[in-house]
Amino acid sequence: MGRNLNDIIHSLPAERQAKIAALSQEKMQEMIAHAATLTDFRKAVGKTQAEVARELGIQQHAVSQLEKRSDTYVSTLRRFLQSLGMTLELSVVAQNGVRIELQNFLRSQEVDADVDDSGLPASAIPPGKRKAGVSRKRAGNT
């Protein structure tokens, strides 16, 4: 059986391993800085859709759908980014350029209530198809 990349890297001298790790971190930060989509963020941290799905408790196809959407709930976006080890921060920028941070935009209890196990907001699923106990807490939650 062939060796994988990790086996090869671990067989190198410690100094070379450290250099590879540093270059890897640098490349990951560069990819994150230039990410324009959720797919870009996921790839930048080296996770597959299946890995993100397992962490969120949803199916892989729901991650695929989420990555393709142009509009999503803040709570869904927050959970997706948390699965990548990232934190969503919201702020408002006034016309005069003043930035106002929106802390506690959603309480953590509301985050889980707005998304069912498909990864889609409860409002996007027809009422007859929703699982019991999955409901939206606030009609205006976006």
Side-chain angles (χ1 to χ4, degrees), residues 16 23 31 55-56 81 84 91 120 132:
R16 182 74 176 132
L23 289 171
M31 289 175 68
E55 200 163 320
L56 294 175
L81 292 172
L84 302 179
S91 61
L120 299 174

Side-chain angles (χ1 to χ4, degrees), residues 71-125:
D71 188 22
T72 188
Y73 283 96
V74 172
S75 57
T76 303
L77 180 58
R78 177 178 283 151
R79 287 184 67 219
F80 180 89
L81 292 172
Q82 284 174 337
S83 76
L84 302 179
M86 299 177 173
T87 301
L88 177 65
E89 294 181 358
L90 296 173
S91 61
V92 174
V93 180
Q95 287 180 340
N96 64 2
V98 173
R99 182 175 300 272
I100 305 158
E101 299 299 324
L102 296 177
Q103 297 179 6
N104 299 324
F105 187 75
L106 288 177
R107 292 188 306 271
S108 61
Q109 310 82 287
E110 293 173 329
V111 172
D112 292 333
D114 285 336
V115 181
D116 87 338
D117 65 356
S118 71
L120 299 174
S123 62
I125 301 167

Side-chain angles (χ1 to χ4, degrees), residues 17-89:
Q17 289 182 38
K19 187 173 182 178
I20 291 170
L23 289 171
S24 175
Q25 282 296 318
E26 184 179 316
K27 184 65 176 173
M28 183 177 77
Q29 293 304 320
E30 183 181 316
M31 289 175 68
I32 289 171
H34 293 95
T37 66
L38 295 179
T39 302
D40 293 343
F41 283 117
R42 177 181 50 76
K43 288 181 178 181
V45 299
K47 286 196 174 183
T48 65
Q49 288 181 343
E51 290 169 329
V52 172
R54 271 193 301 278
E55 200 163 320
L56 294 175
I58 61 176
Q59 295 184 4
Q60 177 272 325
H61 71 86
V63 173
S64 175
Q65 289 175 336
L66 177 61
E67 290 181 346
K68 292 176 187 174
R69 294 175 64 173
S70 61
D71 188 22
T72 188
Y73 283 96
V74 172
S75 57
T76 303
L77 180 58
R78 177 178 283 151
R79 287 184 67 219
F80 180 89
L81 292 172
Q82 284 174 337
S83 76
L84 302 179
M86 299 177 173
T87 301
L88 177 65
E89 294 181 358

